[in-house]
């Protein structure tokens, strides 16, 4: 080889070149045949496949037809969510001769904002399939439609299309109970069957709309159409009808919901009303509320900011499912636990000095009466401790009972868990125990914290939903029904019977139920005339109400401390609105044969008995009492009334 | 330098033969090549007319460029290639300077800086000029050296290829950079570099590929590979083109749907139908028959070019002609392979058929060189 380099051998060079050229030409020939083979494969072997299916499929389009979403009714058949025709403007980019000019014209015609134009351009960019329409504006008003129609010839490529859009006729009233639908997010798009959601752009975002999405949505239908080059539909070839979503009937009672909302008036707060016979949620109110119709087809940025930026009102937050310190509303359940576990007897009584101290601790725990008069409640048994809401009795009781025993008993009432069937967004609250504190905070439990837990303060947090459930369980003597929104599927369907996964609460002495229920009726009805021996709620619920009460009402107030108040404040000085205590009240009625259980939470309401109590009665009245001021016939006992539970009522 | 004109008057060795030159040889035109090119261009214009939805202005533009390209081809054919060989280093240097100018003053279109727009001159892409200048310069360099090239000469050649390729890759225009590399490497292969070195380079390239994937390739480039492997992955996104083009080709069948009767292109479902994906339009309207006709035209052109390379009289002409012929084939293969789903989508137009002025002009310039090689012969042999 090296010799060849010495002298340039042209023939050798040429031979080398030619051999390389032949190799190149040979490879080229092989590759040409590869191309031919490929083309023969595509055009001969696969021809039928491409010709009959694929190529035609670009002239014949399959268009999804979104199913009509199921409607939602209340228990009396009143519409809560329906579908109304809504008109929107679309544009097919390829057909728009001069998009900018058209958009400029639309700015005049329907006041298309620069923000909307920007959004449209993003959507146009994202669109992958040529000749597919892109939405310009939703919810066109009749004036908009008229303006566009008249100028249609100046807007090539633009078209008005109609579709059914969700509508909530009761607006704000049902927002938190029903939830709402809104535009599907990228994440949500991944969680649904893409085929079934072709053509659907709204999805349940909250509440019933979200939980029953699959039931409400239905099955997508298809239409095969032939389109011409400009994307216009020339004829419909075939059609598979969509299957509409199923209608849903809820336990909600629109009238009761309205009454509960009116009872809360301008307070921030939440109300849950349950039907003790089945756990159905008859009302779920959270105030302030919002108009769910704003979310249909995408909420505007300004509207959303308005809803979100109000740190005090937080209208999007559902207070009926939020967690709060229960205050003294926890006491009946704790008292029942003390009896059942044998830590207290009905007869056991303390002499209440108005405050309490743990052995070996200097910290003084005061009874709520301390700030009014320093006498305490005198001799206090469990019954009295409930109706006068004696803190000292429960400080002592809890210390003997121990936090873990409290936790185990209270959890049987659903505290610390979300016991609902179809309200997954509800908070579980906090039911503290030694184990919980170790896990949540990595700290041991201190005895003083047990004392706080006795009066529903400290770590304990419950939701109005849980309180209503517990009240219902007290009313039912331990018979469990899990709170549920859904009553049945379809207007003519059968009521869904959902057996509870929570075991009924069995007591060692079933009569303890009667004892506690009685103590709770005394909270409302007992009147001894003395300031601190009368039921805590008697004054506000009975005495100050012009209407005599038509039924026996069992209840318990709770006033949960929000901020540490000074003695002066407790003595009646003005308190900042934000520092006022939260007011709570749980109730059920009629006490002997309960038809309704309710929990009321009033944010910064200050007084459980004074503020939340009358709200609870107003709700019970609305449900139980007829126009004549008497118990409605359907709620009257069929057998002669049971012997009066309230032995000590002073009429 | 001996041009035919000077030779006539000096009465050189071949003087007696000059008078018997046929008219094509006097005009420095190669008839078989010219015929095949003309037929291909006419067929291409027909397809393009359909692919542009019978757009007259587009046809007028393409015709104009075709005319310019023919003038370019005839013009270049008049120059003796030995003149090109001697001036190659200077032209190459000029080309590199233009590439640097592009990076500095170039116009940005679609996120890449590829065009030079000097006042008074037509807008052009210097990288197109490099498609010819790189093989020309490598051939010019190697033709003065011993064959097969030594390792040192190989390295110099690689530098000649590498400098413009890096500049073009920076624009960024990876497709053109790759094709220029191919043109330069063809010269090296034809010059007879040892297979051992070829193997080593291939091994290194194979090993470097994963690193390239991770560190160098942009998302859009990776996406093209993904789409090639599985076009159905994103049927409405990146996979759209390839699915549509396969559909167009497949639905054409053996005889095609007839000129101007393609559905895919008519309904605008095939994007780029008039540029990179024009074969799909051709296949849909003219069927397998049309494809075979197109391929045979290319085979004639490339075959004739390879023949010219084979009978060329000096090493420089051989290397240059061979490289031009093979590179032209690579354009054809890559384009049709990509449109039919054999290769990933890279932006290579179908030579002489796709819409686009610069591409036609630079290709025809190449054919001008081939014609020059074949018609400026000192010793005649029959063909």
């Amino acid at each position: 080889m090296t010799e060849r380099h010495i002298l340039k051998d042209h023939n050798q060079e040429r031979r080398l070149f030619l051999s390389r050229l032949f190799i190149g030409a040979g490879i080229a020939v092989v590759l040409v045949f590869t191309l031919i083979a490929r083309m023969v494969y595509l055009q001969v072997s696969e021809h039928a496949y491409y010709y009959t299916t694929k190529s035609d499929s670009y002239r014949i389009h399959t268009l999804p037809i979104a199913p009509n979403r199921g409607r939602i009714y209340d228990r009396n058949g009143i519409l809560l969510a329906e579908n109304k025709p809504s008109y929107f403007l679309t544009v097919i980019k390829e057909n728009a001769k001069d998009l900018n000019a058209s958009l400029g014209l639309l700015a005049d015609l329907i006041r298309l904002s620069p923000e909307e134009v920007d959004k449209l351009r993003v959507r146009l960019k994202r669109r992958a399939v040529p000749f597919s329409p892109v939405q310009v504006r939703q919810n066109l008003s009749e004036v908009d439609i008229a303006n566009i129609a008249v100028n249609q010839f100046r807007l090539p490529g633009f078209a008005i299309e109609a579709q059914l859009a969700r509508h909530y006729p009761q607006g704000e009233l049902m927002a938190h109970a029903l939830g709402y639908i809104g535009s599907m997010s990228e994440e949500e798009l991944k969680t649904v069957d893409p085929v079934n959601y072709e053509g659907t752009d709204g999805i349940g975002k909250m509440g019933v709309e979200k939980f029953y999405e699959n039931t409400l949505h239905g099955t997508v239908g298809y239409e095969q159409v032939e389109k011409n080059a400009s994307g216009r539909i020339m004829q419909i070839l075939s059609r598979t009808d969509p299957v509409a979503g199923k209608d849903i009937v809820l336990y909600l009672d629109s009238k009761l919901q309205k009454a509960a909302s009116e009872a809360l008036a301008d307070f921030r707060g939440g109300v849950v009303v349950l039907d003790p016979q089945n756990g159905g949620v008859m009302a779920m109110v959270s105030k302030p509320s919002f108009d769910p119709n704003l979310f249909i087809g995408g909420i505007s940025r300004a509207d959303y900011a308005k809803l979100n930026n109000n740190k005090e009102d937080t209208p999007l937050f559902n207070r009926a499912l939020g967690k709060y310190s229960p205050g003294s509303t926890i006491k009946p359940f704790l008292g029942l636990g003390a009896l059942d576990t044998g830590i207290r007897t009905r007869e056991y009584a303390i002499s209440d000095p108005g405050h309490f101290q743990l052995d070996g601790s200097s910290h003084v725990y005061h009874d709520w009466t301390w700030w009014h008069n320093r006498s305490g409640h005198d001799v206090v048994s469990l019954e009295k401790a409930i109706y006068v809401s004696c803190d000292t009795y429960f400080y002592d009781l809890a210390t003997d009972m121990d936090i873990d025993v409290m936790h185990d008993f209270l959890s049987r009432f659903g505290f610390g868990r979300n016991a609902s069937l179809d309200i997954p967004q509800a908070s579980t609250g906090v039911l503290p125990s030694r184990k919980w504190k170790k896990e949540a905070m990595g700290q041991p439990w201190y005895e003083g914290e047990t004392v706080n837990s006795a009066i529903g303060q400290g770590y304990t947090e419950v939701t109005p939903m849980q309180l209503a459930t517990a009240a219902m369980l007290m009313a039912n003597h331990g018979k469990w029904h899990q709170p549920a929104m859904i009553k049945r599927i379809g207007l003519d369907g059968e009521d869904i019977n959902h057996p509870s996964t929570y075991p009924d609460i069995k007591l060692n002495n079933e009569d303890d139920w009667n004892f506690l229920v009685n103590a709770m009726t005394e909270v409302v009805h007992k009147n001894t005339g003395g300031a601190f021996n009368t039921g805590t709620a008697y004054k506000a619920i009975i005495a100050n109400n012009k209407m005599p009460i038509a039924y026996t009402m069992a209840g318990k107030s709770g006033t949960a401390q929000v901020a540490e108040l000074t003695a002066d404040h407790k003595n009646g000085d003005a308190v900042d609105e934000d520092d006022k205590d939260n007011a709570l009240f749980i109730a059920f009625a009629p006490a002997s044969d309960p038809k309704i259980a309710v929990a009321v939470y009033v944010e910064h309401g200050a007084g459980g008995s004074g503020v939340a109590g009358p709200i609870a009665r107003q709700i019970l009245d609305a449900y139980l009492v007829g126009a004549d001021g008497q118990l409605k016939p359907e709620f009257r006992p069929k057998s002669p009334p049971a012997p009066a539970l309230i032995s000590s009522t002073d009429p | 330098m001996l041009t035919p004109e000077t030779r006539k008057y000096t009465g050189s060795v071949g003087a007696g033969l000059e008078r018997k030159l046929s008219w094509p040889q006097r005009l420095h035109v190669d008839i078989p090549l010219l015929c095949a090119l003309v037929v291909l261009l006419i067929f291409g214009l027909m397809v393009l007319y359909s692919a542009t939805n019978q757009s007259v202005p587009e046809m007028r533009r393409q015709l104009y460029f075709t005319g310019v390209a023919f003038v370019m081809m005839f013009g270049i054919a008049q120059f003796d290639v030995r003149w090109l060989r001697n001036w190659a280093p200077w032209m190459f240097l000029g080309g590199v300077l233009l590439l640097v100018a592009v990076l500095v003053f170039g116009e940005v279109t679609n996120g890449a800086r590829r065009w030079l727009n000097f006042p008074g001159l037509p807008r052009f892409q210097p990288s197109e000029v490099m498609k010819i200048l790189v093989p020309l310069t490598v051939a010019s360099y190697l033709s003065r050296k011993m064959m097969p090239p030594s390792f040192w000469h190989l390295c110099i050649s690689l530098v000649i290829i590498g400098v413009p390729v890096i500049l073009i890759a920076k624009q960024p225009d990876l497709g053109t950079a790759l094709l220029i590399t191919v043109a330069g490497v063809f010269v090296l292969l034809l010059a007879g570099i040892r297979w051992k070195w070829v193997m080593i380079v291939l091994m290194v390239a194979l090993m470097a590929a994963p690193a390239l994937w991770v560190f160098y390739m942009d998302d859009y480039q990776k996406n093209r590979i993904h789409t090639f492997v599985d076009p159905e992955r994103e049927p409405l996104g990146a996979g759209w083109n390839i699915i549509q083009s396969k559909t167009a080709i497949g639905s054409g069948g053996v005889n095609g749907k007839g000129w101007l009767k393609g559905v895919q292109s008519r309904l605008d479902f095939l994007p780029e139908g008039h540029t990179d994906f024009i074969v799909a339009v051709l296949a849909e309207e003219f069927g397998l028959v049309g494809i075979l006709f197109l391929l045979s035209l290319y085979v004639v052109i490339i075959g004739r070019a390879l023949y010219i390379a084979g009978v060329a009289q000096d090493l420089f002409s051989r290397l240059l002609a061979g490289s031009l012929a093979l590179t032209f084939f690579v354009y054809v293969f890559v384009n049709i392979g990509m449109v039919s789903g054999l290769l990933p989508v890279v932006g290579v137009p179908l030579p002489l058929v796709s819409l686009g002025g610069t591409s036609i002009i630079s290709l025809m310039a190449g054919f001008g060189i081939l014609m020059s090689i074949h018609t400026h012969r000192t010793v005649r042999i029959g063909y």
Side-chain angles (χ1 to χ4, degrees):
Chain A
M1 282 294 276
T2 41
E3 272 175 66
R4 282 175 197 145
H5 290 269
I6 296 162
L7 197 82
K8 208 166 162 78
D9 178 345
H10 289 278
N11 276 332
Q12 169 62 27
E13 261 181 23
R14 181 148 186 266
R15 274 201 297 279
L16 183 60
F17 170 80
L18 283 179
S19 72
R20 290 290 167 97
L21 196 65
F22 275 121
I23 292 171
I27 293 173
V29 168
V30 171
L31 292 181
V32 166
F33 277 105
T34 311
L35 286 183
I36 292 175
R38 175 68 177 175
M39 287 299 180
V40 169
Y41 168 75
L42 285 176
Q43 299 196 289
V44 180
S45 315
E46 295 281 280
H47 170 61
Y49 166 71
Y50 281 118
Y51 192 78
T52 53
T53 59
K54 285 254 179 142
S55 189
D56 274 2
S57 78
Y58 299 119
R59 275 176 299 165
I60 299 166
H61 290 247
T62 305
L63 300 181
I65 309 168
N68 289 343
R69 196 174 175 86
R71 280 159 298 202
I72 304 176
Y73 296 93
D74 86 343
R75 60 163 54 200
N76 300 314
I78 295 170
L79 258 181
L80 304 181
E82 59 179 331
N83 305 306
K84 275 171 69 174
S86 121
Y87 298 90
F88 56 98
L89 181 65
T90 61
V91 61
I92 295 172
K93 195 171 146 199
E94 284 78 359
N95 297 348
K97 295 250 153 40
D98 185 346
L99 191 64
N100 290 330
S102 297
L103 290 175
L105 182 61
L106 284 170
D108 289 341
L109 289 177
I110 60 169
R111 293 169 310 285
L112 198 69
S113 68
E115 192 193 19
E116 284 175 291
V117 172
D118 289 345
K119 279 189 190 159
L120 171 68
R121 291 196 193 281
V122 171
R123 284 197 290 270
L124 283 171
K125 231 181 208 167
R126 276 203 219 126
R127 184 202 62 153
V129 183
F131 289 104
S132 58
V134 171
Q135 210 160 69
V136 182
R137 147 112 37 114
Q138 292 181 314
N139 297 325
L140 292 170
S141 69
E142 280 174 30
V143 178
D144 290 344
I145 295 170
N147 278 334
I148 294 166
V150 170
N151 290 281
Q152 183 72 66
F153 68 98
R154 293 161 74 190
L155 297 165
F158 286 80
I160 293 170
E161 292 181 37
Q163 72 174 21
L164 289 175
R166 201 60 156 172
H167 180 68
Y168 302 104
Q170 312 220 24
E172 281 203 3
L173 182 62
M174 293 291 174
H176 286 291
L178 288 183
Y180 52 88
I181 68 167
S183 301
M184 227 182 301
S185 68
E186 298 275 327
E187 290 78 47
E188 283 162 336
L189 209 57
K190 283 176 198 149
T191 62
V192 298
D193 173 8
V195 173
N196 200 25
Y197 275 77
E198 252 183 89
T200 305
D201 48 27
I203 189 169
K205 294 278 188 183
M206 272 298 251
V208 172
E209 289 274 32
K210 182 176 184 184
F211 192 84
Y212 291 104
E213 175 63 32
N214 290 341
T215 312
L216 291 166
H217 181 266
T219 311
V220 71
Y222 286 100
E223 201 170 54
Q224 282 215 311
V225 298
E226 193 170 43
K227 284 191 175 183
N228 72 355
S230 53
R232 185 171 299 153
I233 294 171
M234 304 305 283
Q235 60 167 322
I236 294 166
L237 300 172
S238 72
R239 187 184 158 100
T240 310
D241 284 328
V243 180
K246 294 195 179 81
D247 294 343
I248 281 181
V249 179
L250 301 180
Y251 278 113
L252 284 176
D253 180 328
S254 291
K255 266 190 276 176
L256 187 60
Q257 176 91 358
K258 189 146 184 288
S261 177
E262 282 168 1
L264 258 182
D266 291 332
F267 281 113
R268 292 194 287 263
V271 170
V272 173
V273 181
L274 295 180
D275 184 341
Q277 294 161 78
N278 44 41
V281 178
M282 296 200 287
M284 187 204 282
V285 173
S286 174
K287 284 187 123 181
S289 187
F290 61 95
D291 183 0
N293 291 309
L294 290 175
F295 284 88
I296 310 302
I299 187 166
S300 80
R301 201 172 294 175
D303 284 339
Y304 195 65
K306 217 188 286 171
L307 291 179
N308 256 334
N309 290 351
N310 198 329
K311 293 282 174 284
E312 278 297 311
D313 282 349
T314 58
L316 292 177
F317 179 70
N318 189 347
R319 288 172 166 81
L321 307 175
K323 53 180 184 179
Y324 308 95
S325 293
S328 301
T329 54
I330 204 76
K331 282 175 184 168
F333 310 100
L334 216 48
L336 187 65
L339 287 182
D340 194 51
T341 49
I343 284 156
R344 287 290 180 270
T345 61
R346 299 180 189 184
E347 295 77 26
Y348 179 91
I350 62 160
S351 180
D352 172 25
H355 56 84
F356 175 82
Q357 259 176 292
L358 279 172
D359 289 344
S361 163
S362 60
H363 187 83
V364 180
Y365 298 86
H366 293 105
D367 186 83
W368 62 275
T369 54
W370 185 258
W371 314 107
H372 303 272
N373 94 16
R374 305 201 167 198
S375 65
H377 291 286
D378 198 10
V379 177
V380 180
S381 66
L382 177 57
E383 181 185 346
K384 186 176 174 187
I386 300 281
Y387 72 75
V388 302
S389 200
C390 175
D391 291 343
T392 318
Y393 183 93
F394 277 93
Y395 291 145
D396 183 45
L397 179 151
T399 313
D400 289 350
M401 197 172 175
D402 187 76
I403 189 66
D404 286 345
V405 179
M406 287 162 66
H407 168 272
D408 291 350
F409 190 80
L410 291 177
S411 67
R412 292 163 76 184
F413 282 85
F415 291 115
R417 291 186 279 187
N418 178 3
S420 71
L421 272 174
D422 51 6
I423 314 169
Q425 72 271 31
S427 167
T428 59
V430 177
L431 186 57
S433 64
R434 284 191 175 77
K435 185 161 161 263
W436 169 83
K437 199 184 173 197
K438 193 89 204 157
E439 281 167 9
M441 313 176 81
Q443 288 173 6
W445 186 262
Y446 300 110
E447 200 62 0
E449 293 165 342
T450 308
V451 180
N452 271 332
S453 304
I455 57 163
Q457 296 278 174
Y459 298 119
T460 314
E461 287 184 306
V462 305
T463 66
M465 178 60 78
Q466 286 171 335
L467 283 175
T469 309
M472 174 188 76
L473 284 163
M474 189 66 89
N476 281 353
H477 291 197
K479 169 79 184 143
W480 254 99
H481 294 293
Q482 288 179 264
M485 299 298 294
I486 196 165
K487 187 169 161 71
R488 58 175 180 264
I489 292 175
L491 265 180
D492 308 320
E494 295 268 311
D495 280 9
I496 298 168
N497 177 27
H498 25 66
S500 171
T501 53
Y502 286 68
D504 292 343
I505 301 163
K506 297 273 178 241
L507 299 183
N508 294 319
N509 178 4
E510 286 292 320
D511 189 51
D512 286 346
W513 290 114
N514 291 324
F515 179 78
L516 258 297
V517 170
N518 183 47
M520 285 176 73
T521 59
E522 288 174 334
V523 169
V524 178
H525 294 274
K526 190 170 180 83
N527 175 23
T528 58
F532 297 108
N533 290 315
T534 298
T536 53
Y538 174 78
K539 195 174 150 207
I541 292 181
I542 309 272
N544 289 353
N545 195 314
K546 279 179 240 116
M547 291 284 291
I549 193 158
Y551 48 87
T552 43
M553 169 178 170
K556 183 70 194 83
S557 60
T559 306
Q561 197 174 299
V562 175
E564 196 74 35
L565 298 187
T566 63
D568 289 343
H569 282 133
K570 300 258 180 180
N571 287 332
D573 281 14
V575 179
D576 281 354
E577 193 62 30
D578 294 351
D579 289 342
K580 280 189 181 169
D581 295 341
N582 289 336
L584 298 104
F585 205 88
I586 58 171
F588 55 89
S592 52
D593 182 19
K595 301 294 185 202
I596 176 170
V598 59
V600 175
Y601 158 73
V602 183
E603 202 156 291
H604 305 314
S609 295
V611 175
I615 293 174
R617 176 171 169 193
Q618 207 176 324
I619 295 166
L620 298 185
D621 281 353
Y623 188 66
L624 296 172
V625 179
D628 57 355
Q630 296 300 309
L631 207 57
K632 286 180 188 165
E634 64 262 39
F635 299 129
R636 287 176 198 155
K638 288 175 189 74
S639 51
L645 280 162
I646 312 131
S647 49
S648 46
T649 304
D650 195 353
Chain B
M1 257 184 302
L2 290 175
T3 64
E5 288 73 27
T6 53
R7 221 179 292 142
K8 259 177 218 164
Y9 298 108
T10 49
S12 62
V13 183
L17 293 164
E18 300 291 325
R19 263 173 234 112
K20 287 175 193 164
L21 280 176
S22 59
W23 65 266
Q25 279 164 327
R26 280 176 207 275
L27 292 174
H28 301 290
V29 171
D30 183 62
I31 294 297
L33 198 52
L34 183 67
C35 290
L37 287 173
V38 168
V39 175
L40 177 65
L41 283 164
I42 291 173
F43 186 44
L45 283 170
M46 277 175 65
V47 178
L48 194 62
Y49 183 60
S50 176
T52 56
N53 272 324
Q54 303 161 37
S55 153
V56 177
E58 294 280 25
M59 293 306 290
R60 202 172 288 153
R61 255 166 56 86
Q62 186 77 352
L63 267 172
Y64 165 75
F65 282 119
T66 309
V68 172
F70 265 101
V71 171
M72 185 72 107
M73 180 182 78
F74 288 128
I76 287 178
Q78 308 312 312
F79 291 94
D80 191 321
V81 276
R82 279 157 292 195
W83 184 88
L84 285 177
R85 182 181 68 174
N86 297 336
W87 282 92
W90 300 107
M91 292 194 287
F92 178 76
L93 201 65
V96 169
L97 286 177
L98 284 177
L99 286 179
V100 173
V102 167
L103 287 181
V104 182
F105 312 109
E107 243 177 52
V108 180
T109 26
N110 298 331
R113 206 180 276 278
R114 296 176 184 174
W115 294 84
L116 261 190
N117 201 355
F118 286 136
L121 282 173
R123 213 168 76 108
F124 76 112
Q125 294 187 31
S127 56
E128 285 293 331
V129 182
M130 276 315 204
K131 283 183 178 171
I132 290 176
L133 283 183
V134 166
L136 183 83
T137 312
V138 177
S140 155
Y141 172 73
L142 287 179
S143 63
R144 297 157 209 264
K145 312 293 177 206
M146 289 290 179
M147 290 298 108
S150 68
F151 184 69
W152 173 244
H153 298 147
L154 174 68
C155 289
I156 298 286
S157 306
L158 287 176
V159 171
I160 295 172
I161 300 168
V163 169
V165 163
I166 287 168
L167 287 173
I168 292 165
K170 271 192 117 88
Q171 291 180 356
D173 186 354
L174 283 185
T176 307
L178 219 63
L179 289 170
I180 289 177
T181 311
V182 166
V185 167
F186 276 144
V187 178
L188 291 173
L189 288 171
L190 290 170
I193 58 164
R194 300 213 173 85
W195 291 119
K196 188 174 77 184
W197 296 343
V198 176
M199 289 301 156
I200 289 170
V201 170
L202 276 181
M203 297 289 279
V204 170
L206 269 182
M207 284 188 290
L212 225 67
W213 176 273
V214 176
F215 297 113
Y216 195 71
M217 282 175 92
D218 284 334
D219 279 344
Y220 87 95
Q221 289 162 335
K222 289 183 192 175
N223 215 19
R224 282 181 175 180
I225 308 281
H226 281 308
T227 306
F228 167 61
V229 176
D230 179 16
E232 311 282 340
R233 197 176 70 112
E234 250 188 295
L236 298 182
W240 173 265
N241 279 13
I242 201 68
I243 292 173
Q244 297 298 321
S245 75
K246 275 160 75 176
T247 304
I249 295 170
S251 65
V254 175
N255 296 316
K257 295 174 181 167
W259 189 39
L260 304 181
K261 296 209 173 87
V263 169
Q264 292 294 101
S265 46
R266 185 165 57 80
L267 296 191
D268 275 349
F269 285 118
L270 187 61
E272 307 292 324
H274 50 291
T275 55
D276 292 356
F277 281 78
I278 199 164
V279 168
V281 177
L282 187 153
E284 187 186 12
E285 299 192 350
F286 296 93
L288 186 60
V289 175
I291 288 288
L292 290 178
F293 180 62
L294 178 83
L295 284 177
S296 35
L297 284 174
Y298 281 128
V299 165
V300 168
I301 292 169
I302 294 160
R304 183 67 187 169
L306 288 172
Y307 170 80
I308 291 173
V311 302
Q313 285 174 330
D314 59 285
L315 184 60
F316 167 72
S317 304
R318 282 201 285 269
L319 292 178
L320 182 55
S323 165
L324 289 176
L326 292 176
T327 309
F328 186 77
F329 171 74
V330 167
Y331 290 162
V332 175
F333 179 74
V334 169
N335 179 273
I336 301 180
M338 138 190 130
V339 176
S340 61
L342 278 180
L343 297 174
V345 174
V346 285
V348 175
L350 184 65
L352 303 181
V353 178
S354 286
L355 186 77
T358 40
S359 151
I360 287 204
I361 292 173
S362 75
L363 286 166
M364 291 297 272
F367 288 110
I369 291 176
L370 281 169
M371 291 187 177
S372 159
I373 287 172
H374 201 54
T375 54
H376 290 97
R377 306 173 61 89
T378 45
V379 180
R380 311 252 150 244
I381 52 162
Y383 54 89

